[in-house]
Amino acid sequence: MKIQRFSRIGFVMAAAGSAVGLGNIWKFPYMTGVYGGGAFVLVYLITITFIGFSVMVAEMLIGALGRKDTVGSFEALAPSNKKYWKYAGFMSFNGIIIMTFYSVVIGWIFYYLVRVLFSLPSTPNEAKEIFNTLVGSSPAIAIFCHTLSVVIVGYIVHKGIKGGIEKINLILMPSLMIILFGLLFYSFTLDGFSKALAFMFEPRWDKLTSEAFIRAIGHSFFTLSLGMGAIMTYAASLPKEASITKTAFIVTFMDTLIALVAGLVIFSFIFQFGAKPSQGPGLVFISLPTILHNFGYLGTFFAFLFFLAVAFAGITSAISLVEPVVQYLIDRFNFSRTKAVIFISFIYWVIGILALLSYTNSFKEVLTIFNKPLFDVLEYMTDSILLPLGGFLIVIFVGYVLQKDRVKAALESEMGRFYPIWMFSIRYIAPIALIFMMLNLIGIIKL
Ligand code: PHE
C-alpha cells in the first residue's frame, strides 16, 4: 500500500488540527475553572514543555521511520519480538473509543451553532434548561447532530490524506485562529480581561489538589493527541524534507497558545459579569451563552463565531481519531478506503448513541456502569488510562527498544545539544511520570 505524502505546511496544519480540538476550547477552560486557575495552568505548561513535547517527537519518529499504519510501524521497527510489539500498534483503536463521545460533543456544538442564532438565554437557569433538554430529554435531536458529525468526519476521511485531510485542515485551522484571535482582541476591551489574566496566571498553590495535579498531566496528553497513534499515523505521511523536531515544536506551541487564548477569551466574558469560573463541562454551553446575551446582537454574533471555531477544532481532531484505524484496515485487510470508513463510522456511531442515551432520563439506568453513565466511563477510560498507556509504550519503544543509532541518526542533527536532554526525558522523566499516573489511577498510590 503506497502511503500518500502531505506537503510540509499540510503536515503542520494536519498535526496541529489533530492537537487543537475540543480539548483546548472546551475542556481546558472548564478544567482550569474547576481546578482553581493559575497553579493548574502552571502544571499543565510544565508537563507540556518537559514531557508532552518530547513524547510528540517520539511518536512522530515511529511514524516517520515506519511509514505504515500504527501496527505495521511497530512491527517493522522492532528489532526483535516483532510479534509482541505489533500489539502496541493497537493503540490506534483508542481513537474509536474516543470518537464515541467526541462525536456526541461535536453534535452538541452543531446544535448550539444553530440555536444561538435564534436567541441567547437571558438567565443561567434558562441556559441550563436548554442544555439539559438537549442532553437529558431530547435524544432525537442529539442523535441527529451526532449522526451529522459522523457523516461529515467520515466524508473527509474517505477523501484521503491529500484530497480530504490536508485540504480541510488548510482551510479550517487558519479560520479557527482568525476567529479566536479576533475574540481575544475584543476581550482586551473588557474589564474582565485583567481578572482573567490574574485567574489563569497567578498560581494559587492552595488550590492545587493532588487530583488537579494528575488531571493536568493527563490533559496534556489528550490535548496534544498523544498516545493513540494519531500523530504517528500522520507522520507516516511526513514529507521527506520535513524536520520532526521543528514540526513537533510548532504543533506543541500552537496547541498551547490556542488553549491559553481560548481560556482568556472565555474567562474575560465570565468575569465581566461576575459569573463563577468553576462550573464544569457546562462552562461553554451554559455560562458563556448567558453572558453573551448581555451583548445583544453582537453577543449572538460572538456566540456563533465561538461555536464555529469549536466545531472546526473538533472536526479536524476527529478526522485524526478515525484515520489511524482506517489506515490499519486498508494496510492489513485490503479494505477500500470507503469501506473502511463506513465500517469504523458505523461502530462508533452506534456506541456513541448509547453513550448519548446514558445521559437521558429514560435510559440512564440501563446504561450506567460502575455507577457512572457510559459516556463518562468512555471519557474517563481514554483520558486517564488508555492514552497514558499508549504514551508509555511509545517512550519505552523509542527510549529502549529501537536501535540507538537509528534514533540518533534521525534526530541528533535536528536537535543538536538538546538531543541528550530529549533522550533523558524519553528514557526517564516521561516513563516515570506515566507509571506514576497509571498507578495513581488504579488506586495503588493515592496522592
Ligand atoms: N487533541 C484533541 C483535543 O484536544 C483530542 C485528541 C486526542 C485527538 C487523541 C487525537 C488523539 O481535542
Side-chain angles (χ1 to χ4, degrees):
M1 162 74 207
K2 217 169 110 12
I3 289 199
Q4 287 180 331
R5 297 264 164 108
F6 283 110
S7 69
R8 215 188 304 187
I9 175 79
F11 178 72
V12 173
M13 284 300 164
S18 168
V20 176
L22 302 179
N24 303 59
I25 315 185
W26 166 62
K27 231 169 154 180
F28 174 72
Y30 93 64
M31 286 174 92
T32 304
V34 170
Y35 294 114
F40 175 86
V41 175
L42 195 66
V43 175
Y44 159 86
L45 289 177
I46 291 175
T47 320
I48 297 258
T49 316
F50 294 101
I51 303 178
F53 167 67
S54 321
V55 178
M56 182 171 296
V57 170
E59 189 170 334
M60 271 189 197
L61 180 72
I62 300 177
L65 293 178
R67 297 272 174 201
K68 290 192 169 63
D69 68 284
T70 51
V71 178
S73 287
F74 272 103
E75 192 177 23
L77 295 178
S80 58
N81 293 332
K82 285 184 186 298
K83 61 175 188 291
Y84 296 116
W85 271 108
K86 142 178 146 182
Y87 289 104
F90 283 100
M91 67 176 67
S92 58
F93 282 75
N94 296 343
I96 302 306
I97 303 179
I98 298 179
M99 271 314 276
T100 58
F101 63 84
Y102 208 85
S103 169
V104 172
V105 181
I106 295 179
W108 295 346
I109 292 156
F110 285 165
Y111 172 79
Y112 269 78
L113 205 50
V114 179
R115 183 70 179 69
V116 296
L117 289 180
F118 292 97
S119 68
L120 291 171
S122 55
T123 61
N125 278 343
E126 199 189 320
K128 261 188 212 142
E129 182 69 32
I130 296 175
F131 187 64
N132 291 342
T133 308
L134 172 70
V135 173
S137 50
S138 303
I141 298 179
I143 292 174
F144 174 79
C145 295
H146 160 59
T147 310
L148 192 66
S149 140
V150 173
V151 172
I152 293 176
V153 171
Y155 178 76
I156 300 167
V157 176
H158 122 278
K159 288 284 202 182
I161 291 280
K162 274 270 170 218
I165 298 175
E166 172 163 327
K167 232 187 209 162
I168 200 81
N169 274 296
L170 284 174
I171 302 170
L172 295 191
M173 283 308 287
S175 319
L176 153 87
M177 286 191 273
I178 292 171
I179 298 176
L180 271 185
F181 278 93
L183 290 173
L184 178 71
F185 286 123
Y186 182 79
S187 62
F188 288 161
T189 66
L190 300 174
D191 295 334
F193 183 76
S194 53
K195 290 192 191 133
L197 261 186
F199 180 68
M200 284 179 64
F201 296 107
E202 272 173 20
R204 284 180 303 172
W205 296 109
D206 51 313
K207 296 262 180 185
L208 190 70
T209 57
S210 55
E211 188 189 337
F213 189 78
I214 291 290
R215 294 299 301 253
I217 303 181
H219 183 66
S220 62
F221 267 74
F222 184 82
T223 190
L224 290 177
S225 300
L226 298 175
M228 64 126 298
I231 296 291
M232 194 186 296
T233 304
Y234 278 179
S237 298
L238 187 77
K240 267 228 165 62
E241 67 293 5
S243 150
I244 293 179
T245 315
K246 222 196 255 162
T247 320
F249 181 79
I250 298 173
V251 173
T252 309
F253 182 79
M254 274 171 76
D255 187 75
T256 312
L257 183 71
I258 289 181
L260 296 177
V261 169
L264 282 173
V265 168
I266 291 168
F267 289 122
S268 298
F269 283 103
I270 297 278
F271 289 128
Q272 180 77 5
F273 288 92
K276 270 220 211 87
S278 55
Q279 322 210 327
L283 188 70
V284 304
F285 292 109
I286 298 171
S287 315
L288 197 68
T290 322
I291 282 157
L292 288 173
H293 176 85
N294 297 303
F295 288 80
Y297 285 121
L298 195 61
T300 304
F301 180 61
F302 285 164
F304 179 76
L305 282 183
F306 176 79
F307 284 110
L308 194 65
V310 193
F312 287 175
I315 290 171
T316 52
S317 298
I319 54 185
S320 79
L321 287 159
V322 177
E323 172 68 11
V325 189
V326 166
Q327 194 64 54
Y328 169 76
L329 292 178
I330 297 174
D331 276 7
R332 291 278 153 153
F333 295 98
N334 261 327
F335 271 43
S336 71
R337 193 166 257 281
T338 313
K339 196 167 142 201
V341 169
I342 295 175
F343 184 69
I344 300 301
S345 304
F346 182 74
I347 297 176
Y348 79 78
W349 178 68
V350 174
I351 306 177
I353 292 179
L354 296 179
L356 169 167
L357 289 176
S358 74
Y359 274 165
T360 59
N361 306 330
S362 344
F363 293 93
K364 70 170 171 243
E365 259 150 50
V366 242
L367 292 166
T368 296
I369 319 175
F370 309 121
N371 283 327
K372 278 186 176 181
L374 177 66
F375 187 105
D376 295 10
V377 174
L378 291 164
E379 190 184 351
Y380 179 82
M381 218 163 77
T382 50
D383 202 0
S384 310
I385 303 169
L386 297 173
L387 294 184
L389 181 66
F392 183 72
L393 293 172
I394 289 170
V395 292
I396 296 301
F397 190 73
V398 173
Y400 296 94
V401 178
L402 214 59
Q403 296 96 328
K404 277 213 173 72
D405 25 336
R406 228 173 147 185
V407 180
K408 214 172 181 173
L411 295 177
E412 202 184 23
S413 61
E414 284 182 17
M415 287 188 183
R417 62 202 161 84
F418 290 106
Y419 182 74
I421 303 179
W422 170 78
M423 213 17 160
F424 186 77
S425 166
I426 288 301
R427 288 176 69 108
Y428 305 105
I429 305 178
I432 292 171
L434 287 163
I435 290 184
F436 182 69
M437 244 194 98
M438 289 185 282
L439 289 181
N440 180 71
L441 286 159
I442 319 172
I444 296 178
I445 301 177
K446 259 270 156 278
L447 260 180

